[in-house]
Amino acid sequence: MTPRYLGCWFKMDCQSRMHLLTRHFLHKKPKLPSLVCACYASNKNEDTLKYQNSLPTFPVPPLKQTLEKYLLQYKPHVSQEEYERTKQVVLEFGKHGGVGELLQNKLEQRKEETENWCYDWWTKYFLAKREPNVLTYSPCSLLYPQNFSGVDEQLQFSAKVLASLAETVSSLARHQYPPAMVMGTPLCMDQYYKSMCSCRIPAQPIDKIFYRCIDQPDAYRHVIIMRNNQFFKLDLLSPDMEPIGPADILQHLKHIVDETKEPGIAIGLLTSLQRNRWAEIYSSMAQDEMNAQSFHDIQSSIAVCCLDETETFSDEETKNQYDSRWGLCGGGSKLNSGNRWFDKGFLFAVGTHGETALYGDHTLADGVLAHAVLSQVTKFLNNNENITTDTCAGSLPPKKLEFAVDDFVNQAVEEAGLHIDQYLSHQQIGERTFKLFGKKLLKSKQINPDGFIQVAIQMTYLRQFGFLPVMFEASSLQLFKLGRIEHLRTVTEESVDFIKTFTDKDLKSSAKLSKLQKAIKVHMKCNKEAKFGQGMERHLFGLQKIAEEYKIDASKFFGDPSWKRSSHVHIRTSNIPGNLIRTTFLPGIPQSQSFCMWYSVRDDHIQFTLSTTDDKSVLDVRSFLECLYSNMREMQLLAETEI
């Protein structure tokens, strides 16, 4: 790559870079020099929001393109007769002058009138859900266990994490945090600001959302520390947004431990209830002025830090099961589920035996803040020196939050405890590390690891249940202003063709490998299209919402059996980057033969986590992961075939 070209790249605005990247990824031209990827890291001296106002808006894909994709993804799941019937429904919807064209025009008009045509709808989609938040939509990440045991070391580690959070918040507030980039193209930074000081507020018929951007003059500067079900408000930054030092934080945490020898009433359990029920209780409690102020202090906090007393086990499998349930929701009412506030935008928990879990309500953000904080945590953890309180600067001590509790609240807490324990009794979570190979081997064979894994999961599901799953993979839309998440449907005609011929003894290995490579190639193409705003799911979601908004009858399409069938998702998947996170998972999908699977592809191994609410008689997590392991081993041997 010539310096002249590199100079031109750096001088391009966001729209021009996006245009070039789109041409490169979607149309494979012009060739994008590798030096662009390697050289253009974010300048640490740049304003965090330097590119925010120049980010491209989220596009509305062509209607014809989306309807063609809809038919393609539907075809592998039905008979030819059913497909032809659905095709006529789709053609009628998409015809010139038809309902689809009318909705498309109104959606394109909305695009011109808003920063992101999908953003408000997507936020309200989560707020309208009435299922318990923690049991359905709050992802959890478990970090690799830290090498410590006991309260003193727990507090040392927690102080470092909180100091890391303080540095991150301070740099974001001053717009000194480096803008996120991909291949020299800026990403939207909105989620970094809205993850903090955000919280869902239960209400009927739809929840409300509280947030205050931390770069505002009246931004909140405190965190909430929870221990033994009790709440403490602790300032993490000074009035001029200077971070409080780790020595002061450690001293305050020790004070909180001294004040919480006995457990308090588990008010936090209430946030695990069904949303209408929680709204009823919340409305009643908030009538009391002290309760209202305590609620506000929790909701306006930067984050919630939960200090838990945990258990250790000599058996690794038992320990992993315990950690997963602890990470998911605190492990139940008899353990630490009451020491949580599941409505918060960012929450983390630290156990007494080295466990660390990160949570995030999905309403306003998709977990980007957790990764930002982790990058800061790494710096602190690399410094193995213990924090001493000798250098305390004398920051304000923590303030305990109080609640007025009556029989109504006590009964509600008991109800919430029974509910979350019952839920956990139906939850299966399994982990498996595939140690035979990782991305290094697959890439040496010119095989995309993500596509390889997606096909392997599909094959495993078909062998376990006898039919193909409707399967989603999450794809980030942060290239666009206020971009959130697209969902990519990963079962394709090409992947099905490979799966159904994989056991054909008469077919040569070279032909099978060719089919696998073709399936992976199609997956990569669809994934790239999704990242660049040409996915199908958000577009169809937008068409449905615009029909509701304008009271346009689109029932012949959205009420068709094909729509209902294709909306019944069996597997939600996500590929998790990074090296600090051991595993990430969502609660299992509350429907039969369905689950969530998260995986992380490392150089020499692949980590899988599967969660489901199915009974073992329907879906045995261990059996599924064993079958997946076996299938990946078979596919590995095929991948090593020389054509």
Side-chain angles (χ1 to χ4, degrees), residues 618-636:
V618 178
L619 169 60
D620 188 299
V621 166
R622 180 181 292 185
S623 174
F624 190 94
L625 290 172
E626 287 292 340
C627 185
L628 176 63
Y629 197 100
S630 175
N631 290 338
M632 288 184 63
R633 176 58 176 159
E634 291 181 45
M635 289 172 62
Q636 174 205 2

Side-chain angles (χ1 to χ4, degrees), residues 219-328:
Y220 295 96
R221 301 175 287 107
H222 67 279
V223 292
I224 296 297
I225 309 297
M226 294 187 69
R227 188 175 188 274
N228 254 339
N229 305 334
Q230 297 169 66
F231 302 79
F232 291 81
K233 178 181 177 180
L234 173 63
D235 281 345
L236 204 59
L237 299 108
S238 67
D240 60 354
M241 300 307 281
E242 281 288 343
I244 301 299
D248 285 73
I249 295 172
L250 178 60
Q251 184 180 54
H252 296 323
L253 295 182
K254 288 181 176 180
H255 170 76
I256 289 170
V257 169
D258 290 339
E259 293 292 313
T260 53
K261 299 297 185 184
E262 299 297 326
I265 298 170
I267 300 295
L269 273 175
L270 299 174
T271 62
S272 70
L273 283 168
Q274 192 265 0
R275 302 308 294 179
N276 285 345
R277 178 62 175 142
W278 173 212
E280 176 189 351
I281 298 164
Y282 178 89
S283 177
S284 174
M285 290 184 69
Q287 299 301 313
D288 181 274
E289 187 176 338
M290 182 171 65
N291 288 345
Q293 183 59 51
S294 294
F295 283 144
H296 176 73
D297 286 340
I298 296 169
Q299 292 158 0
S300 61
S301 64
I302 294 168
V304 171
C305 168
C306 308
L307 302 176
D308 289 353
E309 184 176 340
T310 52
E311 300 177 25
T312 187
F313 303 87
S314 56
D315 177 63
E316 183 179 356
E317 184 174 347
T318 304
K319 176 61 174 170
N320 286 343
Q321 278 292 315
Y322 175 88
D323 287 354
S324 296
R325 289 170 177 267
W326 171 80
L328 184 65

